[in-house]
């Protein structure tokens, strides 16, 4: 039982490049979330999903897109990376929005 | 939308003393209030949570209290130890499906 796994763990991008972060969970959770964590800003919700095939915007969705084609996977895409997107990204999943959220190990992204 | 405010942003206590972190929320429909601990370089992990039908919950040295009328909830850590040093986050579940976190409190336990 791996829980929530994020790929990759580290990445350096040049401004304007694109990339996709993968989040996979094996707990059969319906709800999945993508957060970014910046110093002093806590965990800010980028996008979330309430089930397979659904996505919704969170607090800071601009510059990101997501897809949930399979229940166990939640992908976060950056179409044209900007230095302001340098951050640590965490994926999380939960059985319901009113239950424990399980986090992946994080992805440290640097955009130069 | 939901707003969760957390105070203080940093907190230093002597080992053995108590620490209290407070959060306020805006959405009256919120009914689930978890607290997460994040050690340096690690992922956040749940340490305790409370639901709106309960006023207080304890787990050994950790307790959470909820005041729904005032829309605030607090984390209490007693007999603090060096391993309690970490960043603590509260969260509020918005009436729909969002899981919104506070900005975090960096707790330092001084030996």
């Amino acid at each position: 039982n791996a829980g929530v796994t994020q790929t990759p763990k580290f990445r350096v991008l040049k401004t304007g490049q694109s990339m996709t972060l993968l989040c996979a969970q094996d707990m059969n959770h319906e709800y999945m979330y993508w957060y970014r964590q910046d110093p002093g800003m806590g965990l800010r919700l980028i996008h979330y999903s309430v089930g397979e095939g659904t996505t919704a915007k969170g607090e800071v969705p601009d510059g990101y897109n997501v897809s949930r084609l399979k229940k166990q996977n939640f992908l976060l895409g950056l179409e044209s990376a900007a230095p302001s997107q340098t951050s640590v990204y965490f994926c999380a999943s939960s059985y319901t929005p009113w239950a424990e959220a399980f986090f992946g190990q994080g992805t440290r992204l640097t955009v130069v | 939308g939901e707003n969760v405010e957390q105070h203080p942003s940093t907190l230093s206590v002597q080992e053995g003393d108590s620490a209290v972190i407070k959060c306020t929320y805006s959405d009256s429909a919120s009914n689930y209030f978890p607290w997460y601990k994040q050690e340096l370089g690690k992922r956040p992990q749940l340490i305790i949570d409370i639901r709106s039908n309960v006023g207080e919950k304890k787990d050994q040295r950790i307790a959470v209290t909820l005041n729904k009328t005032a829309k605030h909830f607090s984390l209490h850590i007693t007999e603090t130890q060096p391993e309690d040093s970490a960043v603590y986050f509260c969260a509020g579940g918005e009436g729909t499906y969002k899981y919104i976190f506070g900005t975090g409190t960096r707790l330092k336990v001084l030996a």
Side-chain angles (χ1 to χ4, degrees), chain A residues 1-4 24-30 71-72 93-95 102-103:
Chain A
N1 189 342
V4 180
Q25 52 96 2
D26 61 4
M27 296 173 282
N28 202 34
H29 286 165
E30 292 288 345
K71 184 177 183 179
Q72 63 269 33
S93 72
S94 65
Y95 182 64
F102 293 85
F103 284 81

Side-chain angles (χ1 to χ4, degrees), chain A residues 4 31 33 35 37 42-43 48 50 57 59 90 97-101 103-105, chain B residues 31-32 36 38 42-44 46 51 89 94-103:
Chain A
V4 180
Y31 297 84
Y33 317 87
Y35 295 91
Q37 185 173 32
L43 293 156
Y48 64 102
V50 303
K57 294 180 180 180
E59 301 170 278
F90 283 99
W98 311 284
E100 179 178 2
F103 284 81
Q105 75 273 38
Chain B
N31 56 14
Y32 177 65
Y36 287 79
Q38 186 180 28
K42 303 283 185 65
R43 72 191 78 188
L46 181 75
R51 300 191 185 274
F89 292 98
E94 187 173 297
T96 53
Y97 309 109
K98 298 179 185 179
Y99 211 110
I100 303 297
F101 285 85
T103 50

Side-chain angles (χ1 to χ4, degrees), chain A:
Chain A
N1 189 342
V4 180
T5 303
Q6 290 181 230
T7 309
K9 293 183 176 60
F10 303 93
R11 185 73 185 267
V12 178
L13 282 180
K14 293 182 179 179
T15 298
Q17 286 185 322
S18 63
M19 77 164 293
T20 300
L21 282 69
L22 171 64
C23 177
Q25 52 96 2
D26 61 4
M27 296 173 282
N28 202 34
H29 286 165
E30 292 288 345
Y31 297 84
M32 297 188 74
Y33 317 87
W34 275 107
Y35 295 91
R36 60 177 289 173
Q37 185 173 32
D38 304 296
M41 299 294 289
L43 293 156
R44 291 185 292 170
L45 183 64
I46 304 171
H47 286 281
Y48 64 102
S49 170
V50 303
E52 181 179 312
T54 75
T55 62
K57 294 180 180 180
E59 301 170 278
V60 289
D62 294 343
Y64 306 93
N65 56 75
V66 288
S67 64
R68 182 100 181 266
L69 299 180
K70 294 183 178 181
K71 184 177 183 179
Q72 63 269 33
N73 296 337
F74 194 28
L75 279 63
L76 177 71
L78 286 73
E79 291 187 347
S80 180
S84 61
Q85 294 177 304
T86 293
S87 188
V88 178
Y89 292 85
F90 283 99
C91 174
S93 72
S94 65
Y95 182 64
T96 73
W98 311 284
E100 179 178 2
F102 293 85
F103 284 81
Q105 75 273 38
T107 297
R108 184 173 294 277
L109 174 65
T110 302
V111 182
V112 298

